Amino acid sequence: MRPGLVVLLCVFSCALRSECAPPTCYSRALELSREIMTLLDRVHTSHRTKTCAEVLPTIFIDVHNACITNKLRDFLYVVLNHPSQSCREKPRMKVLKGKIQNLYNIITRICYRDLVFFTDDCEAIDTGHSRPYVAEDRLQILQEER
């Protein structure tokens, strides 16, 4: 086999393994929100952390919701000041705290100009159910009146 062909194959195999572009603020915020939701599910279902999760408020992270900064701040406060010292020291709770701090910093400091909020439905973050956008309802009413 020719050495040039081997080098070319090595370059292409390395290029396929690496990501083509670094993550943007938006993509990192989306990825981190998914990771946090998965981790929260594990915290709520694991027998080791189920008692710790009883204190945590319900949160459904949506980086497109303008209320996310306030809700993340409140959630982070609860995690940092958990009533049980043993819960604060559990590895899963430490990872959760770190990821929430990271997402909060990304949204409020690093990407605050890049993120676009489509809604300000604070109830959707608490319940996971978003109500229809008010402007769409008004548009439908205007069309029905004509």
Side-chain angles (χ1 to χ4, degrees), residues 4-125:
L5 184 60
V6 172
V7 170
L8 187 63
L9 285 173
C10 288
V11 168
F12 281 126
S13 65
C14 291
L16 290 175
R17 283 191 212 145
S18 65
E19 293 183 24
C20 295
T24 61
C25 282
Y26 176 71
S27 64
R28 181 63 184 137
L30 279 178
E31 179 184 338
L32 203 51
S33 67
R34 288 186 201 115
E35 289 175 14
I36 290 171
M37 291 304 295
T38 303
L39 185 58
L40 272 173
D41 186 45
R42 287 185 187 150
V43 166
H44 282 281
T45 56
S46 172
H47 69 280
R48 293 181 181 157
T49 56
K50 194 179 282 191
T51 57
C52 300
E54 292 172 355
V55 177
L56 300 177
T58 305
I59 188 169
F60 295 91
I61 299 175
D62 178 14
V63 296
H64 302 106
N65 194 327
C67 296
I68 191 66
T69 54
N70 296 332
K71 297 291 184 175
L72 272 179
R73 184 192 62 224
D74 296 344
F75 193 86
L76 185 59
Y77 180 81
V78 172
V79 172
L80 288 172
N81 298 303
H82 198 283
S84 171
Q85 180 68 29
S86 64
C87 285
R88 279 184 262 159
E89 294 172 357
K90 291 191 186 282
R92 231 175 235 163
M93 295 299 284
K94 285 184 178 181
V95 170
L96 179 64
K97 177 187 73 163
K99 287 183 186 264
I100 291 173
Q101 282 177 327
N102 195 4
L103 181 60
Y104 183 74
N105 287 334
I106 286 173
I107 290 174
T108 59
R109 294 183 183 159
I110 300 168
C111 299
Y112 68 94
R113 293 182 191 161
D114 298 336
L115 291 177
V116 176
F117 300 118
F118 296 127
T119 181
D120 60 349
D121 186 9
C122 295
E123 187 179 326
I125 293 178

